[in-house]
Amino acid sequence: MELPSIGKLDRSAGQLGRQLSRLLREAIRRGELKPGELLPSTRHLASSLGVSRGTVLEAFEQLIAEGYLEAQAGAGTRVATALSDAPQRRTPARHVDAPAAPVRLSTRAAAFGEVARQFAPLPPVPFAVSVPVGPTAPDDAWRRLGNRTRALRAAAPSGYDDPQGVPALRSAIADYVRRSRSVHCTPEQVIVTSGTQQGLYLSCQVLLDADDLAWVEDPAYRGITGILESTGHRRGMVRVPVDEAGMDVEAGRAMAERARVAFVTPSHQYPLGMPLTMARRNALLAWARANGSWIVEDDYDSELRYVGHPFPSLQGLAPDRVVYLGTFSKILFPSLRLGYAIVPQALVPAFCGARVLIDRHSPSADQHVLAAFIDEGHLDRHIRRVRLVYADRRQHLIAAIARWIPSELAWLQPGDQGMHLVLWLGEGWDDQWIASLAMEAGVAVRPVSPMYSSGNARPGLVLGLGGYTDEQIDAAVKKLAKVLGSAARTRGVFPAG
Ligand SMILES: Cc1ncc(COP(=O)(O)O)c(C=O)c1O
């Protein structure tokens, strides 16, 4: 008797008796073995499968106990006849006979689905942002330190840890932001997060009540507008225009003086790239103080300023009003999923509680590795190194765009820092369509228009810097130029200006 599926025993996985009983059970359920059918003798089956007779006996005994098989003295072992009364399991139909009832999605589900579409990870090709390849990847020190730290007691398996983060990492972060960003804090104010995205989420959970208003830059990172839209704050989101000096604070005051929170990217407006001027910083702080409002400072890539020094943080000017969010995604690598929120002391318990309800805390072992990486000076060295690399990649990209993309098709937003550039397209262009055409051509870009409030969108593309080579950048810019050229011809969509 042939039992085709019995051939699938995995010897390397062990427990052959269990495997055999599972395979026989499945064969009976699928109807390959019919009720009343006689099975080969244990001796025969054992030799055809190349297992011991004991293994087959073990499987048979198990299935007899479960009622799948029955044994009669001298008459061998059969599939239990009683199984013929059992309802037949229908093989799932390949074609659905009737259309399934449409799934009714909640408004939030629809918003989350849209976020998933917009945040679908890009392949590691130009111009996916912060792809740590080649010279921008952390060097061997990261791997060595990881191995060493994980072997130590502190990073070995343990119980639940502090939702605020392991003390060694909090101290290292407090020291780092004090030195590099003029942030005023103690380690007790540092909350280790799984990246700025979580810091934004925690801030929304902690700082906003249901009917509160929140200022958000226009345009802004989809990671903040997406949170507000999907957590019941769509109507409370006040989009404050951004001009060459950053968020227009006077406009914000005119639109919603009593807003509870302002979400800003003061070091490097996302996505446009200008810093918030000193006058605007003072105006923002004056508004926050006058209203008892909070400022959430998203400082996602300030380490990468190529001319002069990074701007000091807003937090340093008003530690009692500002929640400062930082991340290791840009400067180290995004899959690390570690960042930090630095919050006024009074907010620490609330942030910790909110964190517990999301995922308790970040993996402790990774936190220890990062703490050692910072303490031993590797982070500072890495930043010095990648700053030079990105400055060089940036110059190369700017030159390649000037060379291959005609300025009447697209032009760059000026700026002097960060890991991305914005390439504007003329009025009337559909940047989402262009981004999908570029992806088909092997070039990864993000459209800018979804970052604006409706009615105010401008089309453009975000081009990220990674550790790409000159050749990769040149090839990608040429492909993008071709995409833009043929899109302009086929659709007859030409820039207005
Ligand atoms: C403006 C801004 N904020 C926050 C984030 C989220 O970063 P993280 O990877 O730390 O969650 C990003 C990532 O691109 C960003 O551009």
Side-chain angles (χ1 to χ4, degrees):
M1 157 178 210
E2 280 298 314
L3 295 177
S5 45
I6 300 300
K8 292 184 204 149
L9 286 176
D10 176 2
R11 270 153 223 292
S12 63
Q15 301 197 318
L16 293 176
R18 274 190 187 213
Q19 287 193 47
L20 182 57
S21 48
R22 180 173 53 76
L23 291 169
L24 284 168
R25 195 185 297 113
E26 284 168 2
I28 295 169
R29 284 202 189 134
R30 281 197 302 269
E32 287 169 25
L33 288 171
K34 302 265 181 292
E37 204 162 357
L38 188 63
L39 269 74
S41 70
T42 48
R43 194 186 312 276
H44 182 82
L45 196 52
S47 86
S48 72
L49 294 173
V51 297
S52 75
R53 202 166 152 230
T55 299
V56 178
L57 273 171
E58 180 194 332
F60 277 19
E61 275 164 18
Q62 175 65 28
L63 293 179
I64 289 168
E66 290 178 16
Y68 281 93
L69 301 181
E70 54 199 12
Q72 283 157 6
T77 305
R78 295 176 183 276
V79 179
T81 43
L83 290 177
S84 55
D85 303 332
Q88 286 295 306
R89 216 181 70 143
R90 278 185 51 188
T91 343
R94 277 184 197 281
H95 302 288
V96 181
D97 328 32
V103 179
R104 247 196 74 233
L105 290 182
S106 63
T107 319
R108 285 184 189 194
F112 284 132
E114 179 61 10
V115 168
R117 193 184 63 75
Q118 290 178 355
F119 278 71
L122 295 174
V125 295
F127 300 101
V129 76
S130 73
V131 175
V133 288
T136 56
D139 59 18
D140 263 5
W142 177 260
R143 190 178 40 77
R144 275 201 313 275
L145 212 59
N147 292 343
R148 197 183 82 204
T149 312
R150 277 166 209 283
L152 295 178
R153 228 156 60 105
S158 59
Y160 288 118
D161 235 321
D162 187 342
Q164 200 171 343
V166 304
L169 181 56
R170 286 195 275 125
S171 298
I173 289 171
D175 184 49
Y176 167 68
V177 292
R178 184 185 45 71
R179 280 187 285 117
S180 65
R181 308 292 304 117
S182 311
V183 167
H184 288 288
C185 71
T186 63
E188 288 69 43
Q189 289 170 261
V190 178
I191 290 142
V192 175
T193 63
S194 68
T196 296
Q197 190 59 46
Q198 190 177 54
L200 291 169
Y201 203 90
L202 288 168
S203 303
C204 290
Q205 295 285 313
V206 169
L207 303 178
L208 287 171
D209 279 327
D211 297 323
D212 283 340
L213 301 177
W215 290 4
V216 179
E217 294 160 312
D218 194 8
Y221 179 52
R222 277 291 294 146
I224 178 59
T225 54
I227 294 173
L228 293 166
E229 284 166 10
S230 60
T231 55
H233 295 291
R234 189 186 287 270
R235 287 218 305 266
M237 185 165 44
V238 178
R239 299 301 299 271
V240 182
V242 164
D243 60 21
E244 62 289 345
M247 181 190 251
D248 184 346
V249 177
E250 280 315 304
R253 292 189 92 146
M255 285 188 274
E257 171 72 17
R258 308 300 303 220
R260 178 64 68 97
V261 188
F263 291 92
V264 268
T265 46
S267 301
H268 187 217
Q269 203 282 330
Y270 189 87
L272 304 185
M274 67 287 287
L276 191 67
T277 59
M278 203 56 217
R280 288 275 172 87
R281 285 170 191 241
N282 288 335
L284 185 62
L285 293 173
W287 162 78
R289 288 205 178 97
N291 285 284
S293 308
W294 302 107
I295 296 167
V296 177
E297 175 174 19
D298 177 354
D299 204 28
Y300 61 104
D301 72 354
S302 56
E303 289 93 348
L304 294 170
R305 183 139 198 276
Y306 307 115
V307 181
H309 298 289
F311 282 83
S313 67
L314 203 54
Q315 193 273 3
L317 301 175
D320 55 329
R321 287 283 104 210
V322 177
V323 168
Y324 175 90
L325 304 178
T327 180
F328 295 100
S329 286
K330 305 282 176 181
I331 206 63
L332 266 176
F333 55 99
S335 65
L336 177 61
R337 302 317 302 143
L338 283 174
Y340 43 95
I342 292 171
V343 310
Q345 196 63 52
L347 293 176
V348 171
F351 270 76
C352 290
R355 180 70 200 263
V356 166
L357 294 182
I358 296 176
D359 61 349
R360 282 198 187 251
H361 60 77
S362 298
S364 308
D366 291 345
Q367 297 186 55
H368 284 287
V369 176
L370 182 56
F373 192 76
I374 300 173
D375 283 343
E376 295 184 17
H378 297 294
L379 182 69
D380 287 340
R381 275 195 291 280
H382 180 73
I383 292 176
R384 282 198 296 275
R385 180 159 60 85
V386 298
R387 194 182 278 146
L388 294 177
V389 175
Y390 282 124
D392 183 60
R393 304 299 67 212
R394 202 168 167 280
Q395 283 316 319
H396 192 86
L397 177 56
I398 291 171
I401 288 173
R403 178 152 175 216
W404 283 298
I405 301 188
S407 59
E408 62 277 13
L409 281 184
W411 58 97
L412 281 173
Q413 165 80 23
D416 62 4
Q417 58 178 333
M419 287 180 95
H420 72 270
L421 296 164
V422 170
L423 186 67
W424 291 117
L425 304 174
E427 218 178 290
W429 284 82
D430 177 349
D431 55 3
Q432 306 198 46
W433 176 59
I434 296 292
S436 66
L437 293 179
M439 198 62 261
E440 280 168 28
V443 181
V445 291
R446 296 258 189 223
V448 170
S449 63
M451 300 172 192
Y452 279 94
S453 61
S454 88
N456 291 321
R458 277 185 71 186
L461 303 173
V462 172
L463 311 189
L465 302 175
Y468 308 116
T469 61
D470 287 358
E471 293 71 33
Q472 283 175 304
I473 292 177
D474 291 348
V477 171
K478 283 190 219 165
K479 283 185 199 162
L480 189 58
K482 215 163 149 194
V483 165
L484 293 172
S486 63
R489 280 192 301 279
T490 55
R491 285 288 174 109
V493 185
F494 289 96

